[in-house]
Amino acid sequence: MENPSLLSLIVALLSFLSPCLTRMTPRVSFHMGSPGRHLTRFSSHDVSNTTTLLLSEDGDMLYVGARDAVLALDVSHKDAIILRNKLDWNPSEIDLEQCSMKGKEMADCPNFIRVLQFLNTTHIYACGTFAFSPRCTYIHSETLTMSLKPDEGRGRCPYDPYQRNTAIIVDGELYTGTVADYRGNRPVISRHLSEGRRVDLKLDDTLGWLEDPTFISSSFIPDEEKIYFFFSEVGREYDFIDKFIVSRVSQICMSDVGGQRTLQRRWTTFAKAQLLCQADNELPYNVIQDIDSLPPAEGAPADDTLFYGIFTSQWSVNSGRSAVCSFRLTDIKSVFSGNYKVLNRDTLQWSTRVQEKVANPGECGLHNASDNTLRFVKENFLADDSVRPVGRSVTVVSAEHSYSHLTVQRVQAANRRDYTVLFLLTESGYLHKAVLLQSGAHIIEEVQVFKQPQPIKSLKLSIPKGMIYVGTSEGVVRVPTANCSFYWTCPQCVLARDPFCGWDPVSRACVQASNTQASLSQDIDSGNVEEACNSVSFTHRARFAPNKLPAASCPAGELVSVSLNEVVRLQCPAASQLSQQLWERPNSRLSSDLYLHLEDGSLSFVATPATLGHYLCLSTENGYQQTIAIYHVKQKSSPMAHTPSSHTWPQTHPIPTTKAVARPGLHPSVGTWPKRTETRQEETEPTLSSRDTPRDRNVTMWAGESGQKEAELRDGEPLLSARGHCYLKELVVVSVLLVLCLSLLITMLLYVIRQRCRSRTAPQPGTSSRVSDRRTPVEHEALRGSQVLSKRNGQASGLVCNGALTGSNGHLPNTPI
């Protein structure tokens, strides 16, 4: 069968081409408890699994569905989250025993609140798993008390607390996507709480409209009067792949009341289509994880509504990657108004219907249609085409971070342009704030919100209050969307490229952008500091500008007094994780034999007459260079030691565009150092900063006598070649002592061997006379002849003792007696 989406999938499967990924590095990182990012937490020893969040319209009250409880949290205060009311709603002992008898773990048998929606201005509708027997109830929003006795919640809430579901209340009616049986084998999209002539509706269980789905989210579009459901399921249309997962979007009309004879109390407007998050020459990211809707800008039509979703892949080639795709409502409507597939009930094969359509599936107002029309829409509910992402490409692809949840916001910058900001929650516990630009996604910052892995998580965005609420198994964390006060200078404020923040030249501070402040310095698209900060007065730039700096002087910097042969470490924290650091000296190159560039950007070396003087640390980011620190290393023991005051600046042409800004905590003289026109890559090795960005500039100096010096320099062999004190005399003394010890040891060893050989070769008393008496006259004559012959030849007779040759006197050859 000819299917464009199927053919593209086959091409992707055969090609296995991987995309070129850009590294998604957050510019600034805040660990949990960091003073640079103020977070507010709520937790209690008797509250857990705070994972269903409902925010009041004014944003002052946050209702939380937790384990065996519903909470009302007052979030109107800046520095605290206060518990106002708590409704305990837990199963009885009998319910827990019955749950255990069903074979379930006791940890899964409590009542986990999974549905929490405003029914009207006074009541909340809540549903919980309730020991694998779902219950629902009405709760007064002010007093947090139950108005009615809980009733059965089958089809409205899942049985399993870890099974995902979605629910939304529109005009007092509850629309849900969940399972309707204990085993989870009957997925259903249904409507409840209907009154008057309207009846509750659900899907036909016998049609196979859903294939083992995992419900993600639901959204109401008022202008369309439709509810859209987002989920993933097994794609039966791909019969050549076993259990191929696809992401879906489905729709139903709010005006649907079911058919008169065919499809009674069943949906007549149900239709579904595939969401295809895929880039060119790449396998699709086919499993949806979360999705959020972005309403159109003011004055724009409803068709411009965007849906941003997180997708992962079931293919090993894309394992560990997360992708974000956006879909436009007009494209979804176009797919639903096109052709539909038909399922052959005999062969269970999907094909595209070629004959003329009897009706348009998914069209509202079909409840009064004929039986023939309803039978047609009953069998034709899967759209033939797939919904492609905006721009036919993925918005974000990350191989380093595994995203699980997201929320999206449109922010108007100081230039009156709208920017899309994504808040992405990672599995490792970090919240990423990313702005979408023409050049790609830029992660402004990451904030750690929890440490231990959380099985259930949720996000809730309060646009009026500028807050994000993260619900986990541990509690609730409130994160402000803006953190402008962290950026201390105009360059840092501009380089952040945060639509929420801009530099105010009047107050000389980075402040939150608003409609009343049009004079803020900001450049979200390119982060050009030179243009955005041209109206800002740099106090130190005028003093140390390249064209005004004396040739025979240099800034004093921060004084570091050292002794010769000490190991010195000069700190230089990076301005951000996207910046690069480099060290410079006037009239001197930083040779790798004398200097060690550490991973955190600091510089380490041995204090010698050649290494005393001025040191400058520069940070470069997005084409802008600034001074981070200036140090003056001076000998403290000898007042006549060589000082760098006589250093002269390089007689080269400086680059007038190189600027620098002093940071708090630096010496007032921090400014710009002239940059050489010819730079050498081998002289310095810029390193990326660590995850933290400390704002202090303390100097750490290692004493030469401490034992810590050797531990810190185990990996710093180049430091040993630094020119300092000569150890030649010590080396000679040690060598002489070593030779004397070896000679004494050898002498003692030879003496012991001599004594052993002498004791073995010495004659026993009376032995020689007896042997002499036994010799015949012929033997005596022969023996005398042999001695005479030996003397004539100049040879001394000898004996062999244990394989060693000994002299006639019983001693080793060449050994003094």
Side-chain angles (χ1 to χ4, degrees):
M1 55 184 175
E2 297 184 4
N3 186 342
S5 61
L6 181 59
L7 292 177
S8 63
L9 176 61
I10 295 175
V11 172
L13 287 172
L14 295 177
S15 61
F16 282 97
L17 295 177
S18 298
C20 181
L21 300 179
T22 57
R23 183 172 179 82
M24 300 289 292
T25 302
R27 183 179 181 273
V28 183
S29 180
F30 299 95
H31 289 292
M32 186 176 295
S34 173
R37 200 64 160 98
H38 179 68
L39 306 182
T40 309
R41 298 180 181 274
F42 169 81
S43 61
S44 178
H45 68 280
D46 58 345
V47 175
S48 61
N49 293 91
T50 55
T51 53
T52 304
L53 306 180
L54 178 64
L55 193 64
S56 62
E57 187 176 355
D58 58 4
D60 291 338
M61 193 69 66
L62 179 67
Y63 298 93
V64 180
R67 171 178 170 174
D68 292 334
V70 177
L71 313 177
L73 302 180
D74 185 357
V75 294
S76 61
H77 300 276
K78 181 180 180 181
D79 298 325
I81 299 178
I82 303 174
L83 176 63
R84 291 302 182 189
N85 289 305
K86 179 182 177 183
L87 171 64
D88 293 321
W89 185 19
N90 54 295
S92 63
E93 293 296 334
I94 298 177
D95 296 326
L96 294 177
E97 290 179 2
Q98 292 179 353
C99 177
S100 179
M101 291 176 61
K102 296 177 182 178
K104 300 301 180 181
E105 297 289 339
M106 288 301 297
D108 300 336
C109 290
N111 185 24
F112 295 88
I113 311 301
R114 299 304 305 276
V115 175
L116 204 63
Q117 291 286 318
F118 283 111
L119 183 65
N120 48 43
T121 57
T122 60
H123 284 80
I124 296 174
Y125 191 76
C127 299
T129 58
F130 209 85
F132 278 79
S133 180
R135 305 285 177 87
C136 296
T137 187
Y138 298 87
I139 301 175
H140 196 278
S141 57
E142 291 292 335
T143 61
L144 217 64
T145 57
M146 292 186 185
S147 300
L148 297 173
K149 183 179 179 180
D151 57 355
E152 184 182 8
R154 183 176 61 180
R156 310 178 188 186
C157 178
Y159 290 73
D160 192 329
Y162 300 105
Q163 195 167 32
R164 300 193 66 172
N165 70 299
T166 180
I168 185 173
I169 289 182
V170 181
D171 295 338
E173 294 178 321
L174 176 67
Y175 297 85
T176 63
T178 184
V179 293
D181 66 331
Y182 172 80
R183 299 181 179 275
N185 296 329
R186 291 178 55 195
V188 61
I189 294 177
S190 55
R191 183 175 67 194
H192 306 272
L193 308 181
S194 300
E195 297 180 351
R197 301 181 59 183
R198 296 174 62 85
V199 295
D200 293 346
L201 298 178
K202 64 179 182 179
L203 294 180
D204 195 319
D205 300 334
T206 63
L207 297 179
W209 284 355
L210 297 174
E211 298 287 350
D212 193 18
T214 299
F215 293 101
I216 301 299
S217 179
S218 54
S219 180
F220 168 58
I221 307 298
D223 292 355
E224 297 291 321
E225 293 190 351
K226 291 182 179 180
I227 307 292
Y228 289 94
F229 292 87
F230 299 90
F231 55 94
S232 61
E233 66 173 357
V234 178
R236 298 298 183 188
E237 65 269 31
Y238 300 102
D239 56 348
F240 61 94
I241 302 178
D242 185 28
K243 291 186 178 181
F244 174 59
I245 306 298
V246 296
S247 298
R248 302 286 198 198
V249 55
S250 67
Q251 64 151 42
I252 52 97
C253 295
M254 294 178 55
S255 60
D256 197 345
V257 294
Q260 297 179 357
R261 288 179 297 273
T262 303
L263 295 178
Q264 288 185 4
R265 294 184 176 270
R266 300 293 187 269
W267 295 108
T268 63
T269 57
F270 174 80
K272 67 179 181 180
Q274 180 179 357
L275 290 175
L276 192 58
C277 181
Q278 181 183 18
D280 294 336
N281 299 326
E282 181 186 348
L283 290 173
Y285 296 89
N286 55 320
V287 183
I288 187 172
Q289 301 294 330
D290 195 19
I291 199 163
D292 191 25
S293 61
L294 180 65
E298 186 177 356
D303 286 353
D304 288 343
T305 301
L306 294 175
F307 299 94
Y308 284 87
I310 298 176
F311 295 82
T312 57
S313 176
Q314 73 178 107
W315 312 109
S316 59
V317 67
N318 287 337
S319 178
R321 296 179 184 173
S322 293
V324 176
C325 283
S326 61
F327 304 91
R328 198 179 303 274
L329 178 59
T330 182
D331 296 330
I332 296 177
K333 292 171 58 179
S334 176
V335 170
F336 280 134
S337 61
N339 295 327
Y340 280 76
K341 300 179 185 297
V342 60
L343 178 63
N344 189 321
R345 296 292 178 179
D346 298 330
T347 62
L348 298 179
Q349 298 290 321
W350 288 90
S351 62
T352 302
R353 184 179 293 275
V354 295
Q355 63 264 32
E356 183 180 356
K357 293 192 299 184
V358 177
N360 185 23
E363 182 181 354
C364 298
L366 294 177
H367 51 276
N368 292 325
S370 63
D371 292 343
N372 185 34
T373 301
L374 293 180
R375 280 192 295 267
F376 179 84
V377 299
K378 178 180 178 180
E379 297 178 355
N380 298 264
F381 53 85
L382 178 58
D384 183 51
D385 201 2
S386 300
V387 182
R388 302 279 179 168
V390 176
R392 296 297 180 103
S393 64
V394 295
T395 304
V396 176
V397 179
S398 175
E400 303 91 33
H401 312 290
S402 179
Y403 296 121
S404 61
H405 292 74
L406 89 163
T407 185
V408 60
Q409 179 181 355
R410 181 179 286 105
V411 181
Q412 188 177 78
N415 58 4
R416 297 292 189 269
R417 289 185 55 186
D418 290 336
Y419 292 89
T420 300
V421 178
L422 298 177
F423 298 93
L424 303 160
L425 185 63
T426 69
E427 292 287 356
S428 58
Y430 283 86
L431 182 67
H432 287 185
K433 181 170 74 171
V435 58
L436 302 183
L437 307 173
Q438 293 291 336
S439 57
H442 168 65
I443 302 183
I444 301 171
E445 63 177 0
E446 66 173 0
V447 184
Q448 188 178 23
V449 293
F450 60 84
K451 291 184 177 180
Q452 300 299 326
Q454 304 292 312
I456 301 177
K457 302 169 288 292
S458 60
L459 284 181
K460 199 69 176 181
L461 173 64
S462 175
I463 295 180
K465 298 295 184 179
M467 297 291 176
I468 294 178
Y469 298 93
V470 184
T472 68
S473 299
E474 299 174 349
V476 177
V477 183
R478 181 174 63 185
V479 184
T481 57
N483 189 32
C484 304
S485 61
F486 175 76
Y487 307 110
W488 53 94
T489 63
C490 179
Q492 289 299 319
C493 189
V494 173
L495 288 173
R497 304 168 77 173
D498 190 342
F500 289 96
C501 304
W503 181 261
D504 185 7
V506 178
S507 62
R508 296 188 57 79
C510 192
V511 299
Q512 190 164 348
S514 63
N515 296 330
T516 60
Q517 295 174 311
S519 60
L520 296 182
S521 299
Q522 215 181 38
D523 190 354
I524 309 301
D525 293 300
S526 58
N528 192 319
V529 175
E530 301 297 330
E531 295 182 2
C533 298
N534 56 1
S535 61
V536 180
S537 175
F538 294 108
T539 57
H540 304 298
R541 180 171 61 179
R543 181 178 176 182
F544 297 109
N547 55 353
K548 296 182 180 181
L549 189 66
S553 65
C554 57
E558 185 170 346
L559 181 63
V560 181
S561 298
V562 299
S563 301
L564 291 181
N565 301 320
E566 280 190 4
V567 178
V568 183
R569 182 176 179 180
L570 303 181
Q571 297 281 1
C572 185
S576 76
Q577 294 188 145
L578 299 182
S579 64
Q580 290 185 336
Q581 300 153 280
L582 58 92
W583 289 85
E584 289 186 356
R585 291 193 65 191
N587 290 349
S588 178
R589 59 188 297 265
L590 300 182
S591 172
S592 59
D593 296 334
L594 299 178
Y595 299 93
L596 180 64
H597 297 265
L598 303 181
E599 292 183 358
D600 61 353
S602 58
L603 183 69
S604 184
F605 56 92
V606 174
T608 65
T611 59
L612 297 177
H614 280 80
Y615 291 86
L616 172 69
C617 179
L618 302 175
S619 175
T620 303
E621 180 181 355
N622 198 26
Y624 176 76
Q625 189 175 81
Q626 61 178 324
T627 301
I628 298 298
I630 294 180
Y631 297 100
H632 180 193
V633 182
K634 183 179 180 181
Q635 182 180 355
K636 64 181 179 180
S637 59
S638 175
M640 302 301 294
H642 176 72
T643 60
S645 58
S646 61
H647 284 318
T648 58
W649 293 96
Q651 300 299 321
T652 57
H653 300 286
I655 301 178
T657 58
T658 304
K659 298 181 176 61
V661 181
R663 293 183 56 181
L666 289 179
H667 193 277
S669 63
V670 173
T672 302
W673 218 328
K675 189 174 182 180
R676 293 182 295 270
T677 56
E678 179 182 354
T679 59
R680 300 181 181 180
Q681 288 295 108
E682 69 274 11
E683 294 181 4
T684 58
E685 298 178 2
T687 58
L688 293 177
S689 64
S690 61
R691 295 175 67 87
D692 287 323
T693 309
R695 301 178 64 176
D696 60 289
R697 294 292 179 267
N698 297 329
V699 179
T700 302
M701 183 172 63
W702 300 337
E705 294 80 11
S706 65
Q708 185 179 3
K709 181 182 76 172
E710 289 79 8
E712 294 289 346
L713 292 181
R714 288 172 184 171
D715 297 331
E717 286 81 6
L719 297 179
L720 298 179
S721 61
R723 290 173 292 177
H725 179 72
C726 181
Y727 295 95
L728 181 59
K729 294 182 179 180
E730 289 83 351
L731 181 61
V732 172
V733 172
V734 172
S735 300
V736 171
L737 293 176
L738 182 60
V739 171
L740 292 177
C741 292
L742 291 176
S743 301
L744 180 61
L745 180 63
I746 293 174
T747 302
M748 294 177 63
L749 180 62
L750 294 178
Y751 178 77
V752 172
I753 296 175
R754 168 197 168 191
Q755 293 299 328
R756 290 184 179 180
C757 293
R758 185 174 184 180
S759 62
R760 292 187 180 184
T761 57
Q764 298 296 330
T767 304
S768 60
S769 60
R770 287 195 301 267
V771 173
S772 168
D773 294 341
R774 294 176 184 176
R775 292 171 180 162
T776 63
V778 179
E779 292 175 343
H780 281 285
E781 186 67 22
L783 182 59
R784 285 195 299 269
S786 175
Q787 292 176 354
V788 174
L789 179 62
S790 300
K791 291 180 180 180
R792 289 178 179 178
N793 295 335
Q795 298 175 350
S797 62
L799 300 175
V800 176
C801 177
N802 294 335
L805 182 64
T806 60
S808 60
N809 53 13
H811 295 283
L812 293 173
N814 301 325
T815 302
I817 302 175

